[in-house]
Amino acid sequence: MFGIVAFFAALLGACQGATFDIAPYNTSVEIGGTATMACIVSNLGSDSVTWKMVSGSSTTTISLNTQILASATKYSVVGTYNLTISNVATSDIALYQCTVGATTQEAYLLSVVLPTNVSVYWESSPSAGSTVNLTCKATYGNPPPFLRWYKNDVDFTQDAYYYTENTLSSGYGDAKSSVAISLLSTDQDKLFRCEVHYEGWYRAMEYTLQTQLSGSSALKSQGILAVILIAASTLLRNL
């Protein structure tokens, strides 16, 4: 009985054909860097997986399953069947196709230039009970990146206002994101992180700011002094 079930399960899998668990998606990289184009396939059966690069009217077959047909120093197939491109050059910026049987999924490799600097700052002095704008700025990126916000690793980007400025015809520009933060005394030492995101390349850069509420040191000092005075008063009463 078990053999019959196994037979029909195998037959059903063969009839279903290969499945793209993760299809290729647009991926960003710096020139000179390493990029991985996703293509994860299951239930391959007798089908094969082929990677091709399409640049203008030219098409280059890169791989067949895990066998590299183009430059072995440039390309490698990792897992089932992601394509890794090393030392990315301008000529590698193109459309990439992952074909399984008769089905093709495709995505672009995009070149970016990371910002020269990322900073996070309060627009005014932060204090408990106040609402203060927190701003992240990514300077001179091409293109200006998208910016994501996290507070102690919790994403709150949906609360922020994103915009670009100083954009040049060359594509370079600055990205900014501002969010109003209603501060509580419990926000002391909380971490606010701004991440630089490009299409298919997340957390390319980041900046983390630890919250220091204005007057918090004085409040701590007053608290310590109060504890000392109470302890001294108690000691005197016991003498």
Side-chain angles (χ1 to χ4, degrees):
M1 181 67 179
F2 175 76
I4 296 174
V5 172
F7 171 77
F8 279 106
L11 183 62
L12 178 62
C15 292
Q16 288 176 334
T19 302
F20 283 93
D21 295 326
I22 299 180
Y25 51 84
N26 292 348
T27 300
S28 300
V29 65
E30 278 195 298
I31 297 299
T34 298
T36 297
M37 304 295 290
C39 186
I40 297 181
V41 181
S42 61
N43 197 33
L44 187 60
S46 60
D47 288 330
S48 59
V49 179
T50 303
W51 272 104
K52 294 181 179 180
M53 180 183 74
V54 180
S55 180
S57 59
S58 175
T59 299
T60 303
T61 301
I62 297 171
S63 65
L64 175 63
N65 294 330
T66 58
Q67 180 185 3
I68 301 301
L69 304 178
S71 171
T73 58
K74 168 68 68 175
Y75 304 107
S76 60
V77 174
V78 181
T80 53
Y81 290 82
N82 299 322
L83 177 68
T84 295
I85 308 163
S86 301
N87 193 23
V88 172
T90 303
S91 57
D92 298 318
I93 304 304
L95 178 69
Y96 288 80
Q97 298 176 331
C98 181
T99 300
V100 180
T103 304
T104 297
Q105 301 279 2
E106 58 188 28
Y108 285 95
L109 182 63
L110 309 169
S111 67
V112 300
V113 178
L114 292 178
T116 57
N117 184 60
V118 179
S119 59
V120 175
Y121 53 90
W122 298 101
E123 296 287 355
S124 58
S125 181
S127 59
S130 64
T131 298
V132 182
N133 282 339
L134 185 61
T135 296
C136 176
K137 181 178 181 180
T139 305
Y140 204 64
N142 188 359
F146 184 68
L147 303 173
R148 297 199 70 88
W149 282 106
Y150 296 85
K151 179 182 179 182
N152 282 9
D153 294 325
V154 177
D155 190 334
F156 66 102
T157 307
Q158 70 279 359
D159 299 330
Y161 172 65
Y162 168 86
Y163 57 102
T164 60
E165 61 183 15
N166 303 323
T167 303
L168 305 177
S169 58
S170 60
Y172 284 87
D174 303 336
K176 273 190 171 183
S177 181
S178 294
V179 58
I181 305 294
S182 297
L183 293 164
L184 304 173
S185 59
T186 52
D187 286 321
Q188 175 65 24
D189 296 327
K190 292 292 177 66
L191 301 177
F192 289 92
R193 184 174 75 250
C194 175
E195 294 181 1
V196 166
H197 284 212
Y198 282 103
E199 195 170 1
W201 185 10
Y202 310 120
R203 210 168 181 174
M205 298 175 70
E206 63 183 79
Y207 188 103
T208 299
L209 179 69
Q210 185 175 30
T211 305
Q212 296 296 321
L213 299 176
S214 60
S216 60
S217 298
L219 290 173
K220 288 181 180 178
S221 300
Q222 291 171 9
I224 293 171
L225 179 59
V227 170
I228 294 173
L229 290 175
I230 291 171
S233 175
T234 301
L235 179 63
L236 288 174
R237 283 201 302 270
N238 292 333
L239 291 178

